[in-house]
Amino acid sequence: MTVTYFVTGVDPLEFRKVASRHRYNEQVFLLPPWEGIFVNGSLRKLSFEDSFLFHETLVDAYDSAGYKLLYVPRVSVFDRVEFVLEHILSHTLKPGA
């Protein structure tokens, strides 16, 4: 199942073909649902339980498309930003990365 299918109910075979041909990067940062900081609002309409199911759909979609999944740890905002920046900088500055 793809994310688009989860949201719209439409199986986007053509989208998957295009995505496999026009990959931006082989790595994807994922931030798993975190109940301790989860808040519903005008922009976040899914319940925590549904957000977990949506997250699993994202994991399946990226994994089946061959992406390398990088899980951002459940730490402070500062530490999450530091994790992402350190990873980006360490991979950007390497020859051939």
Side-chain angles (χ1 to χ4, degrees):
M1 182 182 331
T2 65
V3 174
T4 304
Y5 183 82
F6 181 83
V7 173
T8 66
V10 177
D11 188 11
L13 180 58
E14 191 59 33
F15 294 157
R16 288 186 290 191
K17 289 179 185 176
V18 171
S20 69
R21 288 192 308 262
H22 302 285
R23 187 173 299 232
Y24 177 73
N25 196 308
E26 67 182 24
Q27 300 175 342
V28 174
F29 290 103
L30 287 172
L31 291 92
W34 187 358
E35 194 167 20
I37 63 171
F38 184 88
V39 178
N40 280 96
S42 62
L43 297 177
R44 180 180 286 156
K45 302 199 186 286
L46 294 176
S47 67
F48 178 75
E49 292 76 19
D50 287 341
S51 72
F52 189 81
L53 293 172
F54 183 74
H55 172 75
E56 291 300 315
T57 303
L58 283 174
V59 169
D60 290 344
Y62 282 124
D63 191 48
S64 66
Y67 284 91
K68 178 181 178 187
L69 307 178
L70 303 169
Y71 290 91
V72 178
R74 290 179 178 159
V75 292
S76 70
V77 172
F78 178 84
D79 290 339
R80 283 181 272 163
V81 170
E82 190 172 68
F83 174 87
V84 171
L85 290 176
E86 284 179 5
H87 184 82
I88 290 170
L89 291 174
S90 69
H91 287 79
T92 304
L93 299 177
K94 290 180 181 177

